[in-house]
């Protein structure tokens, strides 16, 4: 496996924690607050902040904005609500940025699109702002910053939260059907899901063993990466600075066959997997009590355990399973904040970036939304540990966090994968044929981009 594609984050988490041990948390929070205080007098004007996500996340951003406006009385922030789906969020921004529009001034970007946004020149470099404020970058996940935010010698964005794919399971159902721990291999998951599904279907015909993201969209690529890498496969590797696709490796074909089998052979995942299943439908199926296992990002934890959730208190989280002889793999996701190069209010936008990245806000993201903050120094905060204990238990998941290829043409590459992997799931193409076709198109794409 190529090291360029797979940068373990664990060491960095540790480094971050050591840094935190030396720099006291109150100190960091204090610096941010006082910076806000001194600058608030000077800043006046309006910025537009574009953000999407689950409905509760949008509601939460409104609160963040209210607090920011309190800290900066001369400033107004307009929230431009985007879709939940990452592809739609990207297109919305691409349209504005291609037209060199100054609106939105500041926005969240999926780690998957950073390569495109940076190489297209749409982002304001943050280096001079960091220098001017003597802003401490060491508190962020260094591997993530180095991999995604720092490119071509500049800093372009900062991580707001870091995602990794996780396995959610029903603790009560595992117990009821005689299992004392979650599955470690995909075969074990199939066996457990089949047995629980068979039992639960007696009372609930809508019950499914395992739900995951299979619709033709970016989330499907994230899931595909996890099966591929947990089978010792890979999407490609970098050679002499150029990305070389290996989409139809035998390990990848096997992994895709397994995804197909989950739906068509083992019948533990619904046929709607390839037509409808994005993060939210998957989460809701599980949350309504209609699934034993779920693949999702950390954000689902807070919602599963909300007061009105039927599965509250009955949910466990574990690393995703792996194929025999291989290791569990989680796709590296997450969202980064950056400033529009064409913004007319970059100073305000920068103040907003700092506010979102402050200790206090990052801590609240973990507590209120269940996100993995981009700052490492909040992970040992006792309030965070209490609200999201799995953050500590599952740090090892980051050992295997696999980034999608960071190349300027990633959105086009993703389109190819989305189309062919989804066609295989729908049963309209064999996994071998689907990945052979995807490989051909990816080779063309790489040629085109030199
Ligand atoms: C999450 C991840 C993001 C990924 C997306 C796919 O939002 O953070 O990286 O691309 O899901 O749907």
């Amino acid at each position: 496996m190529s090291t360029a594609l797979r940068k373990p984050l664990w060491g960095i988490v540790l480094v971050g924690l050591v840094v935190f041990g030396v720099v006291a948390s109150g100190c960091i929070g204090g610096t941010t607050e006082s910076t806000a205080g001194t600058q608030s007098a000077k800043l006046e004007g309006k910025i537009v902040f574009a953000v999407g996500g689950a409905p509760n996340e949008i509601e939460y951003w409104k609160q963040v904005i209210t607090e920011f406006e309190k800290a900066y009385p001369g400033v107004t922030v307009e929230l431009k609500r985007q879709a939940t789906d990452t592809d739609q969020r990207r297109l919305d921004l691409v349209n504005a940025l291609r037209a060199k529009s100054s609106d939105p001034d500041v926005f969240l970007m999926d780690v998957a699109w950073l390569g495109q946004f940076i190489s297209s020149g749409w982002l304001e470099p943050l280096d001079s702002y960091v220098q001017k404020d003597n802003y401490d970058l060491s508190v962020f996940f260094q591997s993530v910053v180095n991999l995604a935010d720092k490119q071509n010698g500049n800093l372009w964005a900062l991580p707001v939260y870091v995602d990794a794919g996780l396995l959610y399971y029903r603790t009560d159902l595992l117990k009821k059907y005689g299992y004392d721990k979650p599955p470690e291999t995909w075969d074990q998951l199939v066996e457990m899901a089949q047995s629980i599904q068979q039992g639960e279907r007696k009372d609930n015909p809508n019950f499914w063993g395992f739900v995951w993201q299979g619709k033709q969209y970016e989330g499907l690529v994230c899931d595909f990466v996890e099966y591929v890498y947990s089978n010792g496969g890979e999407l490609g590797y970098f050679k002499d600075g150029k990305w070389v696709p290996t989409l139809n490796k035998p390990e990848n074909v096997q992994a895709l066959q397994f995804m197909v089998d989950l739906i068509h052979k083992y019948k533990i995942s619904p046929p709607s997997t390839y037509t409808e299943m994005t993060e939210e439908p998957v989460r809701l199926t599980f949350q309504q009590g209609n699934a034993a296992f779920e693949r999702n990002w950390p954000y689902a934890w807070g919602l599963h355990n909300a007061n009105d959730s039927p599965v509250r208190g009955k949910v466990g989280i574990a690393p995703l399973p792996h194929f025999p002889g291989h290791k569990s793999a989680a796709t590296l996701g997450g969202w980064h904040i950056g400033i529009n190069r064409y913004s007319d209010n970059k100073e305000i936008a920068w103040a907003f970036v700092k506010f979102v990245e402050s200790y206090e806000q990052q801590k609240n993201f973990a507590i209120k939304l269940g996100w993995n903050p981009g700052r490492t120094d909040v992970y040992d905060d006792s309030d965070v540990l209490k609200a999201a204990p799995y953050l500590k238990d599952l740090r090892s998941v980051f050992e295997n966090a696999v980034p999608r290829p960071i190349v300027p043409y990633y959105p086009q590459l993703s389109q190819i994968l989305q189309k062919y992997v989804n066609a295989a799931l729908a049963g309209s193409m064999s996994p071998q044929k689907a990945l052979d076709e995807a490989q051909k198109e990816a080779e063309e794409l790489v040629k085109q981009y030199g």
Side-chain angles (χ1 to χ4, degrees), residues 54-119:
N56 70 310
E57 295 175 334
I58 303 285
E59 285 314 305
Y60 190 75
W61 280 112
K62 290 184 187 160
Q63 286 176 40
V64 173
I65 288 174
T66 308
E67 285 173 38
F68 177 71
E69 288 174 336
K70 245 190 233 153
Y72 291 86
V75 169
T76 353
V77 181
E78 181 190 321
L79 184 143
K80 190 170 206 179
R81 184 177 182 154
Q82 294 191 292
T84 311
D85 179 299
T86 175
D87 302 305
Q88 288 169 35
R89 285 171 75 170
R90 187 181 66 82
L91 287 177
D92 180 39
L93 290 172
V94 165
N95 285 338
L97 294 163
R98 278 211 179 117
K100 300 193 169 46
S101 166
S102 59
D103 165 355
D105 299 274
V106 57
F107 38 78
L108 249 56
M109 290 166 286
D110 190 336
V111 65
W113 343 312
L114 274 170
Q116 182 195 24
F117 277 49
I118 293 168
S119 63

Side-chain angles (χ1 to χ4, degrees), residues 86 110-111 163 217-219 222 279 297 333-335 404:
T86 175
D110 190 336
V111 65
D163 265 338
Y217 83 118
E218 183 61 34
C222 298
E279 283 82 4
W297 306 104
W335 290 78
R404 286 153 280 174

Side-chain angles (χ1 to χ4, degrees), residues 35-252:
T35 311
T38 10
Q39 292 192 346
S40 58
K42 291 183 237 151
L43 289 177
E44 268 181 13
K46 185 188 147 189
I47 53 166
V48 177
F49 169 52
V51 73
N56 70 310
E57 295 175 334
I58 303 285
E59 285 314 305
Y60 190 75
W61 280 112
K62 290 184 187 160
Q63 286 176 40
V64 173
I65 288 174
T66 308
E67 285 173 38
F68 177 71
E69 288 174 336
K70 245 190 233 153
Y72 291 86
V75 169
T76 353
V77 181
E78 181 190 321
L79 184 143
K80 190 170 206 179
R81 184 177 182 154
Q82 294 191 292
T84 311
D85 179 299
T86 175
D87 302 305
Q88 288 169 35
R89 285 171 75 170
R90 187 181 66 82
L91 287 177
D92 180 39
L93 290 172
V94 165
N95 285 338
L97 294 163
R98 278 211 179 117
K100 300 193 169 46
S101 166
S102 59
D103 165 355
D105 299 274
V106 57
F107 38 78
L108 249 56
M109 290 166 286
D110 190 336
V111 65
W113 343 312
L114 274 170
Q116 182 195 24
F117 277 49
I118 293 168
S119 63
S120 303
W122 293 331
L123 300 178
E124 171 76 358
L126 301 179
D127 310 76
S128 59
Y129 300 83
V130 165
Q131 261 164 24
K132 177 177 59 103
D133 287 353
N134 209 2
Y135 188 69
D136 184 6
L137 291 178
S138 71
V139 294
F140 296 99
F141 275 104
Q142 294 301 298
S143 64
V144 177
V145 170
N146 289 334
L147 182 80
D149 302 300
K150 278 188 184 165
Q151 289 184 39
N152 316 325
N154 287 104
L155 176 76
W156 303 98
L158 286 171
V160 176
Y161 64 98
V162 178
D163 265 338
L166 299 168
L167 181 73
Y168 290 84
Y169 60 95
R170 285 280 299 277
T171 47
D172 57 330
L173 293 181
L174 258 59
K175 204 164 157 211
K176 179 171 165 191
Y177 290 86
Y179 302 107
D180 56 3
K181 56 180 180 28
E184 279 168 24
T185 64
W186 289 115
D187 287 348
Q188 285 168 5
L189 178 135
V190 169
E191 195 271 312
M192 291 162 88
Q194 277 180 328
S195 137
I196 299 173
Q197 180 175 296
Q198 203 188 7
E200 293 300 295
R201 281 263 174 103
K202 288 177 193 144
D203 293 327
N204 178 1
N206 297 323
F207 193 91
W208 290 96
F210 181 35
V211 285
W212 45 280
Q213 295 78 23
K215 191 179 163 168
Q216 185 177 341
Y217 83 118
E218 183 61 34
L220 169 59
V221 179
C222 298
D223 286 37
F224 178 61
V225 162
E226 287 160 354
Y227 292 97
V228 162
Y229 284 79
S230 67
N231 194 35
E234 63 178 350
L235 298 191
Y237 58 90
F238 282 96
K239 193 173 170 224
D240 304 329
K242 252 184 114 176
W243 191 70
V244 183
T246 57
L247 302 182
N248 55 352
K249 275 180 86 127
E251 295 87 345
N252 303 3

Side-chain angles (χ1 to χ4, degrees), residues 2-9 111-112 143 147-148 225 229 235-236 238 243 330-333 400-406 410:
S2 122
T3 45
L5 259 179
R6 188 169 182 157
K7 301 198 178 180
L9 303 178
V111 65
S143 64
L147 182 80
V225 162
Y229 284 79
L235 298 191
F238 282 96
W243 191 70
T331 297
L332 176 67
N400 293 309
V402 185
R404 286 153 280 174
I406 304 212
Y410 177 76

